[in-house]
């Protein structure tokens, strides 16, 4: 009932002068985050008025994003047969953004690269998304190039300086090596220590030492059953230590990049 009443309120707008045209009603609903109602209005237009303009379709994609139904929005786009919609740069930009938000950075990068824009702010935002996508995919050189290009279209010196500081910190940091973490883990706890998890390193060293000592004393006392059990536990824990250290390094590298990604997004206000 509340939804109907709310919708009826916006239905009344259609009776007003041209200021409240259909596109204005949709935009009003979207600005108020009434994405479900906006989607209903767009679908009504499409069904009754056969309205299928790129502007209306763009509003539909925005609704998909607002409703966290981005997979559906992308599927809807690729099912489109109207070339005016498929070739519209604003529509393609929105779909690219949805790919980015779904962490599908390779597809986001491909589609963003195909968009031809003329407005400076749109060009800047395209380079920002391309830079961030390349950052997440590990292509640091491409990332730096796109952020340099984005800065050329930014007149806010403070934002440019903060962006450059973050990029410089990314360049300055040498990612930790998973191979080296595995090699150092030959000595129990060495890989964890390299990864920066000192408490895990100490625990790993103590547990491996205790299991190794228990295996040795069991063999010495000819208690081979216990020695076998302790030996198997020691081997399992030893190789688990190597695997855990490698994963810890990977998580540390990913966490660093994720933090820098969020910082760059916030600084440049692309969300």
């Amino acid at each position: 009932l509340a939804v109907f009443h709310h919708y009826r309120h916006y239905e009344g707008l259609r009776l007003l002068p041209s200021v409240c045209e259909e596109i204005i009603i949709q935009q009003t609903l979207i600005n108020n985050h009434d994405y479900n109602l906006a989607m209903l209005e767009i679908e009504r237009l499409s069904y009754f008025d056969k309205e299928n303009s790129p502007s209306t379709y763009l509003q539909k994609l925005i609704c998909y994003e607002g409703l966290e139904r981005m997979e559906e929005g992308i599927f809807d786009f690729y099912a489109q047969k109207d070339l005016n919609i498929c070739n519209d740069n604003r529509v393609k930009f929105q779909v690219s953004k949805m790919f980015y938000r779904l962490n599908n950075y390779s597809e986001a990068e491909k589609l963003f690269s195909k968009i031809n824009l003329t407005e400076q702010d749109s060009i800047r935002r395209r380079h920002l998304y391309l830079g961030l996508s390349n950052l997440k995919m590990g292509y640091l050189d491409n990332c730096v190039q796109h952020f340099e290009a984005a800065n050329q279209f930014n007149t806010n010196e403070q934002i440019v300086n903060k962006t450059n500081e973050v990029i410089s910190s990314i360049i300055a940091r040498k990612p930790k090596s998973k191979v080296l973490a595995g090699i150092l883990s030959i000595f129990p706890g060495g890989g964890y220590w390299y990864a920066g998890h000192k408490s895990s390193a100490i625990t790993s060293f103590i547990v491996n030492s205790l299991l190794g000592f228990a295996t040795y004393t069991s063999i010495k006392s000819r208690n081979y059953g216990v020695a076998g059990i302790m030996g198997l536990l020691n081997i399992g824990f030893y190789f688990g230590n190597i695997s855990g250290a490698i994963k810890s390094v990977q998580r540390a590298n990913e966490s660093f990049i994720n933090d820098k990604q969020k910082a760059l997004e916030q600084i440049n206000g692309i969300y």
Side-chain angles (χ1 to χ4, degrees):
L1 183 60
V3 171
F4 174 76
H5 177 74
H6 199 177
Y7 186 61
R8 187 176 61 182
H9 167 72
Y10 286 106
E11 280 286 311
L13 291 177
R14 202 173 292 105
L15 302 177
L16 297 177
S18 59
V19 176
C20 293
E21 293 175 347
E22 303 291 355
I23 193 72
I24 302 299
I25 296 173
Q26 297 165 21
Q27 191 63 58
T28 301
L29 290 166
I30 290 171
N31 290 342
N32 290 334
H33 306 293
D34 291 325
Y35 299 113
N36 278 313
L37 293 175
M39 185 72 85
L40 285 171
E41 176 66 13
I42 292 166
E43 293 292 347
R44 187 200 68 77
L45 261 179
S46 178
Y47 183 79
F48 288 107
D49 302 334
K50 307 302 179 184
E51 177 66 35
N52 205 28
S53 71
S55 296
T56 300
Y57 190 76
L58 176 62
Q59 304 282 14
K60 185 178 181 180
L61 290 176
I62 292 171
C63 290
Y64 274 124
E65 182 182 11
L67 293 169
E68 298 293 334
R69 291 163 52 191
M70 289 171 285
E71 295 94 341
E72 291 181 54
I74 291 170
F75 179 81
D76 191 304
F77 170 74
Y78 282 106
Q80 271 292 323
K81 297 180 180 179
D82 190 331
L83 293 179
N84 288 329
I85 289 175
C86 295
N87 295 327
D88 188 87
N89 287 322
R90 299 167 302 165
V91 170
K92 289 192 289 187
F93 193 100
Q94 179 63 26
V95 175
S96 304
K97 182 182 172 184
M98 291 160 77
F99 270 124
Y100 177 85
R101 287 200 59 198
L102 289 170
N103 301 328
N104 192 338
Y105 301 109
S106 60
E107 290 300 321
E109 194 269 344
K110 287 178 186 177
L111 194 51
F112 271 124
S113 298
K114 296 177 182 178
I115 302 174
N116 296 316
L117 300 167
T118 55
E119 295 181 3
Q120 289 194 359
D121 187 61
S122 296
I123 296 172
R124 179 185 71 88
R125 291 175 64 238
R126 182 176 72 92
H127 279 298
L128 289 171
Y129 278 114
L130 282 168
L132 288 164
S133 296
N134 278 280
L135 173 65
K136 290 293 292 182
M137 291 189 293
Y139 305 134
L140 187 55
D141 290 341
N142 291 341
C143 167
V144 172
Q145 290 175 9
H146 282 296
F147 273 100
E148 288 176 349
N151 287 339
Q152 294 177 4
F153 296 95
N154 197 332
T155 58
N156 190 319
E157 188 174 343
Q158 185 178 7
I159 291 177
V160 171
N161 291 337
K162 287 183 177 179
T163 298
N164 288 336
E165 286 177 10
V166 175
I167 294 297
S168 296
S169 69
I170 295 171
I171 296 172
R173 181 184 183 271
K174 188 175 181 180
K176 293 183 181 292
S177 169
K178 292 187 288 185
V179 174
L180 183 56
I183 293 172
L184 291 174
S185 293
I186 293 173
F187 180 81
Y192 281 120
W193 192 276
Y194 170 70
H197 298 163
K198 296 183 179 180
S199 60
S200 296
I202 295 170
T203 301
S204 179
F205 176 75
I206 292 173
V207 172
N208 268 118
S209 298
L210 290 174
L211 288 173
F213 180 74
T215 303
Y216 170 75
T217 55
S218 296
I219 293 173
K220 193 173 182 181
S221 62
R222 296 185 179 182
N223 194 344
Y224 298 117
V226 174
I229 294 172
M230 291 296 104
L232 287 173
L233 287 174
N234 192 23
I235 291 171
F237 199 88
Y238 181 76
F239 284 104
N241 156 69
I242 296 174
S243 175
I246 292 172
K247 290 179 180 177
S248 292
V249 165
Q250 183 176 351
R251 284 195 298 268
N253 289 336
E254 289 175 353
S255 177
F256 175 81
I257 293 299
N258 288 340
D259 290 343
K260 297 304 177 183
Q261 176 193 17
K262 290 177 183 177
L264 289 167
E265 288 175 349
Q266 292 174 358
I267 290 168
N268 290 278
I270 64 169
Y271 266 177

